């Protein structure tokens, strides 16, 4: 009897403790949620402070995260509409003069089969992009600065302009002012050059310490591009070793300070044949890197409002629904890979890059379904310039 009674008392006691505990937990979450809502609902333009951004960047509770993403999506809808803009991405060559510690096509990786697409191959991809109403083309390659390459790119840009009314984004690394100007005069009007990390300490730790990989030079390139008149895009990798929430917030502040028009950023994904991929580095889990990536998109949208933000392939590399989640967290640009099938697998900057076994036609149908499933429309035929740039 005593034992039975004793157990019962314990049961009641445990239940009461459990109840009180759950109330405290419930209140804690809801108080946090209230704080989070208050922070993201600040009305006046640009009045999220650095501390607000850090507070939001540290949020991990699913309900609070959802509130942040929803609010960012609202801002995206208001500024841009329920539309997604495409840039057909052509990765036309994987020769690179640089040796970034994280990248699979770095110069010293001898296990990569190098390729350079011919003019005819590139133009055939461009024709496909135009015929399918993608509105804009994005040209990307490893970094090269030899005169032959510079002439080749200039010629390609001129040829693309002859095809029809199609926007041209290029992402071809650090070049001289003269080269940037030549490509601009040929008809390219947007340039993507990721700063990779705006924190000097991190930049230095993920690149060799020499003049080919100099932080100041890279920042200066962004300034040159702006001076020439490009719409300028930059971005960072997310979840790098030793990267704190504050570092990421500083990246967002960097976008603002440099009056950036377009943002392309995604999680860091190790590549086996790179110095960083071969070390046991302390980086957040895949899931955390996706979460951080989505928070970066959402907070950039909340802070900068009218810029173009891409939901990158790297997000999908870590989460099959990564790109859709990116769009729901405030992104408005997708860059479907339209590189010729035979070259796709050779442009692997990180392990397990998605879509390398696909072709442009298959990707088109697949993406359309994914976008419609979240209630968004593809703005076929539109250039999709950055509203931030157009307002200037
Ligand atoms: N993980 C994620 N992104 C990478 N990039 C290069 N290597 C990796 C990697 N391992 C990104 C860089 C570069 C862009 C072309 O690809 O940010 O600027
Ligand atoms: Fe070359 Fe760009 Fe890769 Fe660096 S990130 S090694 S510059 S392709």
């Amino acid at each position: 009897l005593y034992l039975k009674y004793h157990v019962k008392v314990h049961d009641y006691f445990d239940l009461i403790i459990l109840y009180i505990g759950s109330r405290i937990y419930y209140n804690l979450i809801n108080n946090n949620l209230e704080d989070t809502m208050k922070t993201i609902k600040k009305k006046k333009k640009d009045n999220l402070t650095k501390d607000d951004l850090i507070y939001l960047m540290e949020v991990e509770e699913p309900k609070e995260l959802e509130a942040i993403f929803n609010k960012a999506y609202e801002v995206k809808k208001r500024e841009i509409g329920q539309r997604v803009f495409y840039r057909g991405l052509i990765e036309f060559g994987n020769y690179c003069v640089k040796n970034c510690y994280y990248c699979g096509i770095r110069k010293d990786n001898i296990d990569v089969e190098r390729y350079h697409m011919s003019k005819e191959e590139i133009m055939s991809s461009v024709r496909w992009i135009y015929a399918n109403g993608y509105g804009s083309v994005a040209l990307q390659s490893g970094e090269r600065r030899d005169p032959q390459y510079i002439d080749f790119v200039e010629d390609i840009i001129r040829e693309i302009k002859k095809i029809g009314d199609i926007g041209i984004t290029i992402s071809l690394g650090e070049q001289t002012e003269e080269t940037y100007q030549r490509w601009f005069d040929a008809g390219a009007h947007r340039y993507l050059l990721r700063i990779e990390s705006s924190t000097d300490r991190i930049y230095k730790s993920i690149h060799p310490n020499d003049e080919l990989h100099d932080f100041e030079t890279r920042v200066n390139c962004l300034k040159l591009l702006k001076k020439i008149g490009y719409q300028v895009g930059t971005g960072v990798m997310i979840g790098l070793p030793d990267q704190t929430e504050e570092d990421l917030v500083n990246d967002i502040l960097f976008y603002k300070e440099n009056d950036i028009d377009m943002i392309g950023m995604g999680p860091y994904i190790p590549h086996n044949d790179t110095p960083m991929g071969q070390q046991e580095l302390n980086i957040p889990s895949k899931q955390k890197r996706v979460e951080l990536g989505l928070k970066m998109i959402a907070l950039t949208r909340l802070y900068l409002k009218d810029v173009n933000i891409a939901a990158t392939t790297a997000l999908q590399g870590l989460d099959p629904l990564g790109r859709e989640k990116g769009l729901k967290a405030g992104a408005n640009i997708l860059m479907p890979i339209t590189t010729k099938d035979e070259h796709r697998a050779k442009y692997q900057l990180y392990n397990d890059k998605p879509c390398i076994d696909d072709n442009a036609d298959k990707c088109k149908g697949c993406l359309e379904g994914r976008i419609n499933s979240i209630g968004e429309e593809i703005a076929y035929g539109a250039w999709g310039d950055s509203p931030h740039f157009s307002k200037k």
Side-chain angles (χ1 to χ4, degrees):
L1 240 180
Y2 168 77
L3 249 183
K4 208 174 164 194
Y5 178 70
H6 186 74
V7 167
K8 267 206 170 138
V9 166
H10 264 280
D11 281 351
Y12 281 127
F13 189 69
D14 287 351
L15 270 178
I16 289 166
I17 293 291
L18 201 71
Y19 176 74
I20 295 174
S22 69
R23 288 307 304 170
I24 292 175
Y25 182 64
Y26 179 82
N27 284 337
L28 212 67
I29 290 177
N30 280 286
N31 285 346
N32 281 348
L33 187 60
E34 240 170 63
D35 284 347
T36 301
M37 291 307 289
K38 258 191 226 151
T39 312
I40 54 181
K41 275 195 170 149
K42 286 191 165 183
K43 283 271 168 353
K44 261 184 19 212
K45 207 171 176 244
D46 293 337
N47 67 353
L48 282 176
T49 62
K50 179 173 176 180
D51 284 343
D52 291 335
L53 288 170
I54 294 176
Y55 174 87
L56 295 172
M57 190 65 84
E58 286 172 351
V59 163
E60 290 189 323
E61 189 57 46
K63 265 191 182 172
E64 291 175 69
L65 283 173
E66 204 184 303
I68 297 174
F69 299 156
N70 288 345
K71 183 71 192 169
Y73 185 61
E74 249 177 58
V75 175
K76 181 256 168 188
K77 269 201 294 195
R78 189 187 71 214
E79 299 286 334
I80 289 155
Q82 272 183 293
R83 298 179 301 162
V84 176
F85 297 98
Y86 272 0
R87 283 84 178 87
L89 177 63
I90 307 174
E91 301 148 325
F92 66 86
N94 66 357
Y95 287 90
C96 186
V97 295
K98 292 173 88 169
N99 256 318
C100 308
Y101 290 149
Y102 45 84
C103 176
I105 62 168
R106 62 198 300 274
K107 184 180 172 204
D108 287 355
N109 184 6
I110 50 166
D111 290 325
V112 180
E113 191 191 329
R114 303 285 168 174
Y115 73 96
H116 186 81
M117 277 165 66
S118 68
K119 179 170 166 182
E120 192 31 54
E121 276 179 307
I122 299 175
M123 293 315 292
S124 127
S125 290
V126 174
R127 280 191 290 273
W128 185 94
I129 289 167
Y130 189 58
N132 284 276
Y134 276 19
S136 279
V137 56
L139 297 176
Q140 195 176 75
S141 79
E143 198 166 309
R144 281 177 57 183
R145 301 170 184 177
D146 51 288
Q148 200 191 353
Y149 172 84
I150 293 168
D151 291 347
F152 179 85
V153 171
E154 186 179 17
D155 183 40
I156 292 288
I157 296 171
R158 288 195 197 285
E159 286 299 312
I160 297 174
K161 279 280 140 194
K162 287 184 200 156
I163 285 200
D165 184 26
I166 187 161
I168 305 181
T169 305
I170 51 178
S171 178
L172 309 171
E174 294 169 34
Q175 305 288 343
T176 61
E177 182 171 358
E178 190 212 336
T179 303
Y180 284 149
Q181 187 70 56
R182 275 177 59 186
W183 292 344
F184 185 77
D185 294 342
H189 63 117
R190 308 186 192 114
Y191 204 106
L192 298 174
L193 182 73
R194 288 191 182 181
I195 192 66
E196 313 298 0
S197 168
S198 67
T199 305
D200 202 34
R201 173 190 98 253
I202 297 179
Y203 191 89
K204 288 204 166 82
S205 72
I206 61 173
H207 296 102
N209 196 2
D210 58 29
E211 74 275 15
L212 252 190
H213 304 82
D214 178 51
F215 180 74
E216 296 304 326
T217 309
R218 205 160 179 87
V219 175
N220 198 43
C221 281
L222 289 173
K223 295 195 192 324
L224 288 177
L225 290 163
K226 184 143 287 283
K227 186 175 117 191
I228 289 169
Y230 282 97
Q231 291 176 45
V232 180
T234 194
V236 296
M237 280 181 292
I238 299 157
L240 290 165
D242 298 325
Q243 190 179 41
T244 64
E245 273 86 357
E246 183 172 0
D247 292 326
L248 289 170
V249 165
N250 283 334
D251 292 333
I252 298 178
L253 300 179
F254 175 92
Y255 304 153
K256 178 95 179 167
E257 276 156 27
N258 288 278
D259 194 21
I260 293 299
D261 305 301
M262 327 177 286
I263 320 283
M265 54 193 170
Y268 162 64
I269 308 176
H271 185 293
N272 288 340
D273 303 324
T274 60
M276 275 169 68
Q278 284 164 355
Q279 287 171 47
E280 275 296 310
L281 292 171
N282 189 17
I283 56 168
S285 69
K286 281 186 185 183
Q287 197 202 337
K288 278 285 157 212
R289 272 175 286 149
V290 172
E291 194 177 291
L292 279 172
L294 296 175
K295 277 192 278 188
M296 277 296 275
I297 290 177
L299 298 187
T300 303
R301 175 63 69 203
L302 288 174
Y303 195 60
L304 299 183
K305 299 188 172 64
D306 58 359
V307 292
N308 275 345
I309 305 178
T312 55
T313 316
L315 259 182
Q316 196 192 338
L318 291 187
D319 179 339
L321 293 178
R323 285 200 281 191
E324 291 88 318
K325 289 181 184 170
L327 294 173
K328 288 300 266 182
N332 67 313
I333 302 284
L334 282 185
M335 299 174 73
I337 301 173
T338 46
T339 307
K340 292 270 167 227
D341 316 352
E342 61 268 36
H343 299 308
R344 283 180 181 227
K346 295 176 239 162
Y347 201 87
Q348 284 212 57
L349 310 185
Y350 44 82
N351 289 344
D352 304 325
K353 181 177 168 190
C355 310
I356 54 174
D357 298 324
D358 291 337
N359 60 51
D361 286 302
K362 203 170 138 205
C363 283
K364 188 183 178 208
C366 157
L367 270 179
E368 207 162 48
R370 284 165 180 257
I371 291 165
N372 294 338
S373 79
I374 56 167
E376 292 268 311
E377 253 178 43
I378 302 155
Y380 281 117
W383 280 26
D385 280 335
S386 160
H388 182 73
F389 183 85
S390 309
K391 283 180 199 162
K392 283 180 201 165

